[in-house]
């Protein structure tokens, strides 16, 4: 019994084959399979590692751990694997920094944390990493730090964007102003625009859109009028 493991179907063949028994008996439970540079990248729980980032070219020898992000058998649990600007981006968790944005070119040395832990902005619990053609979006609990503690500004969970590096990280809009959270969810890219669900504190949880600018981030409608939630989900592009 190999548990839940990674299997492949060779081109021109109808035979399923076990690619590698990553975690014998227990199963590695591969998730988040994403095609990048002619390989599949995924999260899996190894025999001696926690749940980390792996890659495969479809062969046993070509299936390996990319990087042990949270060492010592702890899980980094990579999520939201996303391709942007010829790199793989994802969120992962460490015991020191919580869940942050990471990038990888597929190598150990080329896998690194992007979002800041302690700098001008402090993020925690990054979620919903989603790419358009021009940028990455995500939600995060965040705080803008000032020169002293009295200047710190709590933002709650809001929508952020970045273009692949630390210097490009930007608060898109404090949708629910102050320390309250708008809780952006269901982040979905359609025609280079991000659509998502958020609560501005007055209209409940409704459908929003953003082009990455403050002015271009707007509520589209108030489906359940007033402060009640319509809670949009499963956002997708329709046919003309």
């Amino acid at each position: 019994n190999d548990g839940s493991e990674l299997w492949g179907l060779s081109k021109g063949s109808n035979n399923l084959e076990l690619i590698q028994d990553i975690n014998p008996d227990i199963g590695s439970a591969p998730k988040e399979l994403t095609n990048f540079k002619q390989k599949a990248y995924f999260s899996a729980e190894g025999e001696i590692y926690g749940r980390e980032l792996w890659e495969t070219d479809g062969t046993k020898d070509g299936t390996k751990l990319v990087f042990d992000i949270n060492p010592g058998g702890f899980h980094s649990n990579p999520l939201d694997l996303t391709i942007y600007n010829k790199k793989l981006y994802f969120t992962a968790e460490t015991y020191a920094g919580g869940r942050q944005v990471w990038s990888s070119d597929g190598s150990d040395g080329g896998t690194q944390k992007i979002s800041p832990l302690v700098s001008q902005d402090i993020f925690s619990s990054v979620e919903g990493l989603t790419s358009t053609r021009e940028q990455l979006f995500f939600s995060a609990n965040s705080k803008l730090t000032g020169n002293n503690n009295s200047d710190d500004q709590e933002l709650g969970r809001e929508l952020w964007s970045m273009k692949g590096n630390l210097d490009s990280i930007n608060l898109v809009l404090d949708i629910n102003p102050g320390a309250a959270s708008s809780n952006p969810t269901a982040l979905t890219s359609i025609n280079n625009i991000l659509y998502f669900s958020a609560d501005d504190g007055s209209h409940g949880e409704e459908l929003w859109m953003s082009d990455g600018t403050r002015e271009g981030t707007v509520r589209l409608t108030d489906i359940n009028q007033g402060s009640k939630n319509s809670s949009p989900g499963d956002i997708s592009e329709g046919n003309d």
Side-chain angles (χ1 to χ4, degrees):
N1 182 5
D2 293 317
S4 176
E5 286 294 353
L6 189 66
W7 290 69
L9 183 65
S10 300
K11 186 176 181 180
S13 169
N14 292 323
N15 297 323
L16 283 171
E17 296 180 354
L18 177 66
I19 295 176
Q20 186 183 126
D21 192 3
I22 295 172
N23 198 343
D25 299 326
I26 299 174
S28 65
K31 299 178 181 179
E32 301 274 333
L33 272 75
T34 302
N35 183 20
F36 176 59
K37 291 186 175 180
Q38 298 184 321
K39 294 182 180 180
Y41 287 79
F42 58 98
S43 76
E45 186 172 349
E47 188 174 11
I48 60 174
Y49 305 102
R51 178 167 290 279
E52 296 291 349
L53 183 67
W54 287 68
E55 68 173 24
T56 184
D57 61 3
T59 68
K60 180 177 180 179
D61 291 341
T63 302
K64 59 185 180 179
L65 177 74
V66 175
F67 187 52
D68 189 9
I69 293 171
N70 204 1
F74 297 101
H75 302 293
S76 74
N77 195 23
L79 293 173
D80 299 325
L81 275 64
T82 303
I83 311 302
Y84 170 71
N85 200 20
K86 299 180 180 180
K87 280 190 176 181
L88 177 69
Y89 289 85
F90 57 97
T91 68
E93 190 170 1
T94 65
Y95 47 76
R99 181 161 295 276
Q100 302 290 332
V101 180
W102 288 68
S103 72
S104 180
D105 61 6
S107 68
D108 184 322
T111 302
Q112 57 188 344
K113 183 171 71 70
I114 300 296
S115 59
L117 176 60
V118 179
S119 64
Q120 180 180 357
D121 308 321
I122 298 177
F123 296 117
S124 64
S125 303
V126 174
E127 294 179 359
L129 187 66
T130 304
S131 65
T132 64
R133 290 193 301 272
E134 296 180 355
Q135 55 203 312
L136 290 159
F137 290 92
F138 57 91
S139 74
N141 285 314
S142 47
K143 177 172 70 175
L144 303 182
T145 60
N147 293 328
N148 54 63
N149 291 337
S150 63
D151 295 329
D152 291 352
Q153 180 184 359
E154 296 282 354
L155 295 176
R157 177 170 292 279
E158 295 294 345
L159 184 67
W160 292 74
S161 70
M162 63 183 297
K163 295 189 176 180
N165 56 59
L166 177 60
D167 293 338
S168 69
I169 294 176
N170 179 58
L171 173 66
V172 178
L173 179 66
D174 189 6
I175 294 172
N176 197 342
S181 297
S182 68
N183 289 317
T185 59
L187 277 64
T188 305
S189 173
I190 301 175
N191 295 329
N192 207 33
I193 296 293
L194 184 79
Y195 295 85
F196 60 99
S197 174
D199 183 351
D200 63 5
S202 299
H203 299 91
E205 189 178 350
E206 295 292 345
L207 183 64
W208 287 66
M209 63 174 284
S210 179
D211 62 2
T213 67
R214 179 182 178 88
E215 297 78 12
T217 303
V218 296
R219 179 174 50 82
L220 289 177
T221 185
D222 190 5
I223 296 172
N224 198 351
Q225 294 186 355
S227 60
K228 297 179 180 179
N229 300 325
S230 71
S231 303
D234 298 324
I235 301 169
S236 61
E237 183 175 7
N239 296 322
D240 293 335

